[in-house]
Each structure stands twice: as structure tokens, then as C-alpha cells.
Amino acid sequence: MSNKKKKAASARPVMAKKARQAVVGNPASHMAEPSEISDIKNSYDDLMYESKAFSQTAINALEARARMMGLKPAAAGNAKVLELGCSMGGNIITQALYYPDAEFIGIDLSGRQVAQGNAIIEKMGLKNVRLEEKDILTVDESFGKFDYIIVHGIWSWVPDTVKDKIFSICRNNLTEHGIAYISYNVYPGWKRSEQIREIMLFSSSGMQGESLALRTRKGLDTVNALAEILESDKGFRNNEKLQSMRNVLGKNGYYVAHEYMEAFNDPIYVNGFIEWANRHRLAYIGDTRLSMSFISWMAEHTRERIKALTNGDYIAKELYIDILFDSEFRRSLLCRQEEGHNIARNETVPIEIMENLYFRLVQGTGIDLDESNTMLSGIREVMSGGEPFRTEDVVANLNRRFPGLAFDRVQINSQLLLQTITGYFAVSSDKGEKLTFEDHKTYVPARFTDYVAAFVEHGAEQFVKPANRYNEGTPSFGYGHLYIMRQLSQPTTKQAVIDAVAENLNIVTTTVDGLKFNPPARVYVEQILSELAERHFFAQAD
């Protein structure tokens, strides 16, 4: 080992201001005053919202969901994507990284956030994503056509004229087979949170000249005091209200500020949202969480009672699901009205669609598939590998283990659909090639190294969070990741990387209970190579 100074490395056919009128109806429009738009802009400039990835908005997931519902959306690999209210780009930057032939554009009212996001994008060297400081109200058809339009965390928090404009953009700026995603707060569940919001607004009503952060702190202090009273005084037994308060107190300050303290926060019943979208000649597809649009997963007696209540009305079904589950948030998919007749509302998915989708266990969940059921054991085994799989993978597994035994592919697809509806399996339209390191055969393309360098050397994590190809948040990177990735800019050998690490890095690893130790370079390199493979960072050399 030389005396050079080392650099440390870390280790299945298968309401705020105005009350909304009842469950249905067309509420009076709240015109957006210039001062209100300015206030919204200033609040996000003053207290920047954490900019991160949301897996429900991943274009490979949006494509898969739309295909399951009978539509023919654009392939994620070369799609054109628009995000309204992009903040610093945290929801589309990593998607642009993994889909270099797709184009991503984000707009946001906050110039400060847009500037910061573009600076990060420049450091990463990404050419297929850009952010623009732009008022949603100024977007017209000349802005272009998009295969996917993403509107996450915006619709409920703006005046009705802006809500109308969002629908208008989704109508006029979607391609023929385009898909729009809009998230929003819904009743009846948000009625509980609405009480907390009103408490916070009341307690800080005399602080109009103060910053959003200070007003939020005052509101949280009041909620905390009331929660302590509920908790300590046995005369009060409203555990549901106490839990609502504790939920808010456990959130990040910037989230509470923009969720509970903004001038606008207008929850709506889902049928009101659907009818509003219909007036803009948009067709409602369903929720990205299929259990909020499907009842096939419920007990038979429950399904039959809901069917009797709804009499084939899909809007009523959506509403009653929300009432039964006290829903407070939805992520709805929309398409142009002309495509509406293609939407499958019978809760079945053709086999040819199912067999071309990829499934994987949702992050942070566990599923107990009956080991005594031979077919389920095939799903369980391929699922345990951690990589996305298709029906064919399950069939191949079963044929290998039980040669000569015939399996019903319809049953396999039905089980995959069930686990997707109930939220255990995530679904995507593609898999992405996961390569493991091989001497002289694989390398790390520059775009991935530049992405990691933005976090390690340029402080990107202060503003945006890293994610994987499914737009799921991931742990960040240490200098060791970047150093090894730079050694792999060209095909090389594992031993060469190990030698470089041993020569130049002081490897320090800390256990969960704080114990520090120095693992051998070979062990450390093996760990990093495994992580790079999991992130789909390797490419095959020509």
C-alpha cells in the first residue's frame, strides 16, 4: 500500500375557505386573483417542499395501469412527459436518467425551485429533462402534446380557475392515447384532517405578517397542546381525534405547512372530481391503487351488496368505496373523452395483457403465499428473487420443479392480478436489464456516474432525493460508490477495482448500533458492485 493520502468512503381475466356542495354538484368557481397566485408562489419560495420521487407516477407504472384498463398508452421508453408543479424536479429527474430516449418537462410557479432543479440537472448532464418557471394558467396548446401528464400534490391546493386549467391542459395537451395522473384530497376521510387544519389556521390567525414557517410552528404548538390534553385528561376519550393530531405532529414541517396552512386546500368527493373532469371532456379511468376502483378482491357478500347499491354505475362504486374505507387521498388516471369507450370497467384483464406485464413485491410490504399450494409456491419462489417477473417466469419455475404437471395459466394470472389489486405487487410495463458485473464485459455509463456525483460532490440531496428505475426512493450514495463507478467507466476486472480501492480509500463502515470497523477491500467492492447491479447501473460492453 502506498503512502498516498486516502479519501474516506461511507458506506390478475383475467375545505378550507369554502365548503363544497354535498357529494355532487358543480361548486361555484373561485376565480384566482393575481395576489393569490403570488401568495402561492411566495409560500413555495419561502419554504421549499422536499422534491422526491413518487412511485405511483413512474411512467412504466402508468403505462402498465392504463394497459390493464384496456387502453393503449405510449411506451415509457420514448414517451413525452409533462409534470405540472414539478418543484425541483425530484419526481422526473431519475425517470429521465433511466429513460434517456424519453423527454421530460416540468413547470413550476416557484422560480427559486426551478433554478435549483435546473442547476442539479446541469450537474448530472441530463439532456432529456428541463424545468421551466411558468404559471399553469399560461399553458396552452402551443406548449406541445404529451403522452403522460403528471399533476401530483397540486389540484387540491389551488383556486378553482387553476383546477379548471389543469383539466384543460390534460384535455388539450394530451396525445390521442395520452394518460393524465392527478392526485387530490378526498372526502369523507379528509374531514378529520380538515379539523386539524382549521385549528392551525385559527391559532395563527393573528400572524398574517409572519413567515409560513413561523405560522406553521404556532399551529403545531397548538395542536400539540390539545393532543396532550386529550392524552392526559381521562375526561376526554376521543382517541380518533388524538390519533389524527399525532399523525400531523409526526410529519415534516414543510409538508404540514403546505398541506395544512396554505390558503387553498379543497377536498372533494370522488364523484365530484369525476364529473368535473367529464365537463372538460376527459374520461375517468380509475385510481392507481386498484383496490380503490375494484371490488373483485372483496368478500363475495360484500361485492354483491355493493353491486346492488351501484347497479352498474362505476362512479357510485368509486364513491361507496371511499365511504367504506374513509378515503382521504386519491391518485386518479384520466384520458381524452374519445378514448373512454375503450376503458374496461368489468374488472378483468385480458391474458395477453397480463402476460406482458412485470410484477414485483412492493417496497416495505410482506406477503404470505400459502406454501402448501403448489401454484402459489411458484409465484412465491420467483418473487423472492427480488427482480420483476412475468407469468412466464412462474410457469418456467413450476415446470422445472414439477415436470409433467400441467398448470392453468389463467389461475396464475388471476393470482397475480389479485395481489396487484390488493397492493402487494407493483406492476410495470418493462423490466430493465439487470446486469451483474463481469470482468471485461460490463461497465457503468457516464450518465449514472454523473447522477451519483451530483449527490456526492454537489449536494443534490439537499434538494432532491435519489430513486430507482421504478421511481421508488432509495438510500443515497457515499464517496465509495462514486469512486468505484469511476473505475468502471470502461470494462475492467474486479481485481483491478479491488486493488484501486485498497490503495486509495480508507473504508470505514458503521454497524446499526454504532460500531465502526474496516472491512477488507474485496468485501467492500463486492457490496458496492451488488448495489450498482440492483440499481440497474451496469451496461454491456460492445
Side-chain angles (χ1 to χ4, degrees):
M1 184 179 297
S2 74
N3 293 321
K4 288 189 292 183
K5 185 177 181 181
K6 298 181 178 183
K7 192 162 185 177
S10 57
R12 195 160 200 191
V14 254
M15 188 167 24
K17 284 196 170 183
K18 57 181 174 41
R20 295 243 174 244
Q21 294 299 313
V23 176
V24 295
N26 182 9
S29 178
H30 183 147
M31 300 299 291
E33 299 292 340
S35 61
E36 293 175 327
I37 298 298
S38 178
D39 287 346
I40 294 172
K41 171 182 169 65
N42 291 336
S43 74
Y44 283 91
D45 279 341
D46 292 344
L47 190 57
M48 293 199 292
Y49 205 101
E50 181 180 68
S51 189
K52 61 182 180 179
F54 299 94
S55 60
Q56 303 88 349
T57 72
I59 54 175
N60 50 34
L62 296 179
E63 180 189 353
R65 286 281 192 269
R67 291 190 183 282
M68 293 175 74
M69 296 300 292
L71 300 174
K72 298 179 179 180
N78 55 10
K80 189 173 181 181
V81 184
L82 170 65
E83 180 170 34
L84 305 181
C86 65
S87 180
M88 289 170 278
N91 192 40
I92 57 177
I93 286 174
T94 305
Q95 297 200 58
L97 173 74
Y98 283 102
Y99 291 96
D101 295 324
E103 180 184 354
F104 296 82
I105 300 174
I107 69 168
D108 200 281
L109 195 61
S110 171
R112 180 184 175 195
Q113 296 191 65
V114 165
Q116 186 62 64
N118 278 328
I120 293 169
I121 290 168
E122 183 177 5
K123 291 294 184 183
M124 293 179 177
L126 295 171
K127 305 300 183 183
N128 61 327
V129 54
R130 74 174 192 271
L131 312 182
E132 294 186 17
E133 180 183 354
K134 192 174 183 65
D135 186 340
I136 287 173
L137 291 174
T138 67
V139 177
D140 56 24
E141 290 188 64
S142 69
F143 200 66
K145 297 286 187 179
F146 299 88
D147 300 303
Y148 297 94
I149 295 177
I150 300 169
V151 193
H152 185 80
I154 300 295
W155 197 85
S156 289
W157 299 269
V158 292
D160 287 354
T161 47
V162 182
K163 294 182 178 69
D164 274 322
K165 184 62 178 181
I166 290 171
F167 280 138
S168 176
I169 293 170
C170 292
R171 167 64 199 184
N172 297 322
N173 295 83
L174 273 178
T175 55
E176 180 183 0
H177 301 291
I179 304 297
Y181 163 107
I182 301 178
S183 67
Y184 52 101
N185 289 336
V186 292
Y187 291 136
W190 227 86
K191 288 184 179 293
R192 295 191 312 274
S193 297
E194 204 162 57
Q195 294 181 49
I196 310 301
R197 167 169 159 78
E198 290 167 351
I199 291 168
M200 294 182 68
L201 290 174
F202 174 79
S203 68
S204 61
S205 58
M207 302 174 62
Q208 262 62 27
E210 302 290 348
S211 70
L212 178 61
L214 285 176
R215 287 183 282 121
T216 301
R217 184 69 265 159
K218 173 63 175 177
L220 285 170
D221 288 345
T222 302
V223 172
N224 186 57
L226 292 171
E228 289 177 346
I229 293 172
L230 285 174
E231 200 164 38
S232 63
D233 193 325
K234 295 181 180 179
F236 298 102
R237 300 187 181 278
N238 195 329
N239 291 329
E240 184 177 294
K241 182 168 289 184
L242 176 60
Q243 185 58 52
S244 296
M245 290 178 172
R246 289 298 181 205
N247 286 342
V248 173
L249 292 168
K251 302 291 186 181
N252 289 321
Y254 65 83
Y255 169 84
V256 176
H258 295 299
E259 181 75 6
Y260 289 86
M261 299 295 289
E262 292 285 4
F264 296 94
N265 189 331
D266 297 332
I268 191 172
Y269 284 94
V270 65
N271 62 311
F273 177 87
I274 294 172
E275 291 164 7
W276 199 337
N278 290 165
R279 292 195 295 274
H280 284 270
R281 295 183 294 152
L282 291 166
Y284 175 77
I285 301 170
D287 199 274
T288 60
R289 185 176 176 181
L290 296 181
S291 62
M292 298 182 72
S293 293
F294 284 26
I295 61 173
S296 54
W297 61 279
M298 299 179 185
E300 183 178 2
H301 66 278
T302 301
R303 295 199 306 268
E304 295 307 314
R305 297 194 72 174
I306 294 176
K307 286 180 181 179
L309 279 170
T310 61
N311 194 30
D313 184 344
Y314 74 90
I315 298 179
K317 180 177 70 172
E318 300 272 347
L319 173 63
Y320 293 148
I321 288 174
D322 280 357
I323 291 173
L324 290 170
F325 290 98
D326 212 21
S327 303
E328 58 182 342
F329 192 68
R330 273 188 171 264
R331 304 173 182 91
S332 293
L333 299 182
L334 306 169
C335 63
R336 290 166 61 88
Q337 188 180 65
E338 294 86 344
E339 285 291 292
H341 68 281
N342 290 318
I343 301 171
R345 302 201 184 277
N346 57 2
E347 301 194 18
T348 64
V349 180
I351 290 179
E352 60 268 23
I353 297 297
M354 287 294 297
E355 299 209 345
N356 282 285
L357 297 175
Y358 291 87
F359 305 87
R360 71 191 189 286
L361 194 64
V362 170
Q363 271 190 344
T365 65
I367 181 173
D368 186 18
L369 294 174
D370 185 359
E371 294 185 28
S372 65
N373 183 303
T374 302
M375 184 195 72
L376 293 181
S377 72
I379 297 176
R380 184 187 185 95
E381 189 163 300
V382 298
M383 175 195 75
S384 64
E387 277 297 288
F389 62 92
R390 295 192 301 176
T391 307
E392 187 56 48
D393 298 315
V394 178
V395 172
N397 175 277
L398 293 170
N399 287 339
R400 176 181 56 80
R401 294 165 56 209
F402 308 101
L405 186 58
F407 292 94
D408 188 341
R409 297 177 77 107
V410 172
Q411 289 186 3
I412 295 173
N413 282 302
S414 295
Q415 187 60 223
L416 295 176
L417 178 57
L418 174 62
Q419 302 303 337
T420 302
I421 292 171
T422 52
Y424 288 105
F425 285 172
V427 61
S428 60
S429 58
D430 59 32
K431 179 180 182 179
E433 188 175 19
K434 178 186 174 182
L435 300 176
T436 57
F437 177 82
E438 292 186 76
D439 284 355
H440 301 301
K441 292 183 179 181
T442 53
Y443 73 104
V444 177
R447 73 178 190 275
F448 294 117
T449 303
D450 292 342
Y451 175 81
V452 172
F455 289 98
V456 175
E457 296 180 334
H458 303 293
E461 197 166 4
Q462 300 177 62
F463 309 101
V464 300
K465 302 301 177 183
N468 60 21
R469 67 172 289 109
Y470 308 108
N471 222 32
E472 299 165 331
T474 61
S476 195
F477 312 93
Y479 181 79
H481 294 85
L482 180 59
Y483 181 84
I484 290 174
M485 290 173 73
R486 283 175 171 161
Q487 304 305 306
L488 299 171
S489 62
Q490 300 292 332
T492 186
T493 65
K494 184 185 298 181
Q495 188 59 51
V497 177
I498 293 171
D499 292 344
V501 168
E503 176 81 11
N504 298 295
L505 294 187
N506 178 26
I507 307 165
V508 180
T509 301
T510 305
T511 64
V512 292
D513 55 351
L515 300 176
K516 293 185 177 181
F517 66 103
N518 301 92
R522 178 174 296 277
V523 173
Y524 184 72
V525 169
E526 292 280 7
Q527 175 188 335
I528 298 297
L529 293 180
S530 176
E531 291 180 20
L532 299 182
E534 288 296 322
R535 293 179 183 270
H536 297 82
F537 278 3
F538 287 121
Q540 192 77 42
D542 293 335

